[in-house]
Structure formats: C-alpha cells, structure tokens
Amino acid sequence: MKLLIFNGAPDSSVSSISHKIIEHFRACFQGKNVEIAIYNLAENRLPVLEIPFKEIPENVKQMITLFSESDVQIWLSPLYHGGIPGSMKNCLDWLELTSNNPRPYLSSQIIGLICWADGVQAMQGINNMDSIAKALRAWVLPYSVPILRKDLLIENQLNPAYQERFSLMANLISDTKNLTENKKF
C-alpha cells in the first residue's frame, strides 16, 4: 500500500505539530508493508494555479505524480480563518491537470482527515477538507481527528489521548484498504 501524508501546514520543522503527528503515523505503519511518502507543502512552494495552463512547473508535475500514485492519504492541516490554508487548497486545485486521466483526480483513494485549531473549531477544517476530497472523487474515512491545539502536547510530546486517536485512524486505514483490495465490501 502506498500512503501519502499531505502536510498542509506552513511549518514543517521538527518542532512543528505536523511533524510530531507524521512521526506517530510512521511508527503506526512500521512493519506493515506500507510505503510512506510525505508531501510537506511548506517545502514545495507551488505557484498559484493559472488557467488556461501554460507551462507546468516541475514541482507541480512531481506533486501530481505523488498524489496520483498513492492508494491512501492522510491530510494534516491547521485551521486558518475558518478553513484550510489557501496554499493547501491551491495545491489540491492543481490536480485539475489529471481531469482527463483514466483515473482522474483522487478517484477511489481513501483519505483520513486531521485538523487542529486554537479554539474548538477544528471541525470546520475537517468539513472543508471533506468537501474538497469528495469533489476530487476520493473516499473519506468516516473517522477524522479534530484537535484542540492546547490539548495536543504534554511536555512537548503528543498527548496519549491523541496518540490513541491517530492509531485508530491508522488501523482503520489499514483495514479499509485491505477490504477494498480483497473486494470484501
């Protein structure tokens, strides 16, 4: 199984929230025959989508290949002003280049959603990502993880309650992917 973890946060440093979450998922999938790719938006500055398409930048082509070749994705995002960061949405908008492919957009991929916010509004980001994922023809996992940022870390480590939620998401992704691969649904 090819898993893509899409970090839509503008900070991908080793001290960032997203980095800590990514490392937890790496541990969850270790030894489970899962090929993990990480796409950090902060490290891959994409140009603003421009239609009609002119020359497609190389970093956009690489992003599209990475997103198109995965089987499963986990999207991580902070909440900014009621939604995901505009740069994250712009990245996903570039998938329009796949519209004429035999498997356009994110067709039949399974996506887990995680969002954190300073207040209790992280579900707004989850709902925002859910709408986008479904518009891109993906299957959104019926379990998501909204995070109250102040409760996520204890002494700079992930709160065990959130570790449990992330582990549950990892297990659901594995189970769901196994079912779809074996046509047992």
Side-chain angles (χ1 to χ4, degrees), residues 1-8 18 21-23 25-26 29-30 33-41 43-44 62-76 109 173:
M1 172 173 65
K2 290 183 179 183
L3 167 67
L4 171 64
I5 301 177
F6 176 29
N7 178 12
S18 55
I21 295 170
I22 289 167
E23 290 309 308
F25 276 108
R26 282 186 202 260
F29 288 106
Q30 188 172 3
N33 199 26
V34 177
E35 181 183 323
I36 300 175
I38 310 297
Y39 187 81
N40 285 307
L41 195 56
E43 297 169 4
N44 296 281
Q62 292 169 357
M63 180 276 299
I64 288 172
T65 299
L66 192 60
F67 277 66
S68 297
E69 291 180 351
S70 67
D71 302 304
V72 179
Q73 297 182 21
I74 298 172
W75 292 359
L76 310 174
Q109 291 191 36
I173 286 172

Side-chain angles (χ1 to χ4, degrees), residues 23-163:
E23 290 309 308
H24 182 80
F25 276 108
R26 282 186 202 260
C28 286
F29 288 106
Q30 188 172 3
K32 292 189 177 182
N33 199 26
V34 177
E35 181 183 323
I36 300 175
I38 310 297
Y39 187 81
N40 285 307
L41 195 56
E43 297 169 4
N44 296 281
R45 304 285 180 190
L46 299 177
V48 174
L49 175 66
E50 189 175 337
I51 298 176
F53 304 118
K54 296 181 181 165
E55 186 173 329
I56 309 304
E58 190 59 36
N59 62 343
V60 170
K61 291 177 186 175
Q62 292 169 357
M63 180 276 299
I64 288 172
T65 299
L66 192 60
F67 277 66
S68 297
E69 291 180 351
S70 67
D71 302 304
V72 179
Q73 297 182 21
I74 298 172
W75 292 359
L76 310 174
S77 178
L79 183 74
Y80 285 138
H81 312 290
I84 62 173
S87 55
M88 185 176 183
K89 176 65 167 75
N90 179 64
C91 176
L92 295 166
D93 286 343
W94 274 106
L95 292 172
E96 185 61 29
L97 290 170
T98 68
S99 65
N100 293 320
N101 290 1
R103 186 176 160 205
Y105 310 111
L106 302 177
S107 293
S108 302
Q109 291 191 36
I110 298 165
I111 300 184
L113 306 173
I114 298 172
C115 183
W116 56 93
D118 285 331
V120 294
Q121 304 301 319
M123 272 312 293
Q124 289 179 337
I126 299 284
N127 291 335
N128 191 203
M129 290 187 286
D130 180 79
S131 295
I132 295 165
K134 288 176 180 172
L136 292 170
R137 302 181 185 176
W139 292 93
V140 178
L141 202 62
Y143 177 80
S144 58
V145 184
I147 299 168
L148 180 58
R149 189 171 187 261
K150 72 176 185 71
D151 294 340
L152 180 61
L153 301 177
I154 298 174
E155 296 180 11
N156 208 29
Q157 299 299 315
L158 289 177
N159 179 331
Y162 281 108
Q163 289 183 36

